[in-house]
Amino acid sequence: MAIAEQAEPVDVAANLRAVRARILEACRAAGRDPAEITLIAVSKAQPPARIEAALTAGQRVFGENYVQEAAARWPELRARFPGIELHMIGALQTNKAREAVRLFDVVQTVDRPKLAAALAREMERQDRRLPVFVEVNTGGEPQKAGVAPEAADAFIASCRREYGLEVAGLMAIPPAEEDVALHTALLAKIARRNGLSGISIGMSHDFETAIRFGATHVRVGTAIFGPRPPRRSQPASGSSSS
Ligand SMILES: *Cc1c(COP(=O)(O)O)cnc(C)c1O
């Protein structure tokens, strides 16, 4: 990738410490055990130096939105930093299921039968069973990904029974302008009645509220890495970003 315009220097290690401290404080205030919370560092579109700074500071759980971008950076980082856990949190096309199963450890954006089927087939083929989250469109936004809340129970059941997927939790991306509290409570309610423990919701601007209302996985990008530099173009397939 061409050298992008100088990105602002960001103290990723300090930001990570601050975010972790805020998670601890949110847990304390809510009477929750901090061990229940997984911090997912969302590294989409971030310069490699910032990601390495997070790894050096001990962060091991990351989220990416694009298969191509993840393919360009994570295999090499995994070889250098043991114990990485990579979550797919972006919209996933069925024809990228093979690469997604190879690259990621958790797929959080399962929201339709065709994708569930494609992932199940690839897991079988690669003999690599990943836990998945079902994405729920808690805001009922027509243009957004995710299964409708009223269709979630049936879809979760079919992911388990028809496709044999290990459903570990639910994920939602609520409308930006709405209070995350209601969406977290709804997600938690659907999770509870389906016997699911994972609740992935809460981003940089609202993760403390999400924790208060039951989130177990918070997906934090800019609060750790700083603002995302403007995206120039998708990295070409197979090219390295170093
Ligand atoms: C980008 C992104 C995040 C992180 O957002 P920030 O506001 O940078 O914390 C979380 N979840 C999803 C699905 C995202 O696409």
Side-chain angles (χ1 to χ4, degrees), residues 40-44 46 63-66 88-91 108-109 135 171-173 200-207 218-228:
I40 302 175
V42 177
S43 47
K44 62 161 178 256
Q46 294 288 354
E64 287 281 357
N65 290 61
Y66 306 99
M88 175 55 172
I89 62 168
Q108 291 208 357
T109 46
E135 182 174 356
M171 179 267 206
I173 310 171
S200 173
I201 188 167
M203 319 205 303
S204 289
H205 66 286
D206 59 14
F207 67 84
V218 292
R219 310 182 306 261
V220 179
T222 50
I224 293 170
F225 296 110
R228 287 178 277 277

Side-chain angles (χ1 to χ4, degrees), residues 60-91:
R60 285 297 180 273
V61 186
F62 291 82
E64 287 281 357
N65 290 61
Y66 306 99
V67 168
Q68 300 284 77
E69 188 172 56
R73 55 170 49 143
W74 285 101
E76 185 261 335
L77 290 171
R78 278 190 198 273
R80 286 166 48 212
F81 297 91
I84 287 169
E85 182 179 302
L86 198 57
H87 292 239
M88 175 55 172
I89 62 168

Side-chain angles (χ1 to χ4, degrees), residues 135-147 149 171-184 186-187 200-203 205-206 219:
E135 182 174 356
V136 182
N137 186 359
T138 56
E141 297 171 284
Q143 79 287 4
K144 270 235 185 115
V147 64
M171 179 267 206
I173 310 171
E177 68 284 0
E178 288 185 20
D179 188 340
V180 78
L182 293 171
H183 294 273
T184 309
L186 174 58
L187 208 58
S200 173
I201 188 167
M203 319 205 303
H205 66 286
D206 59 14
R219 310 182 306 261

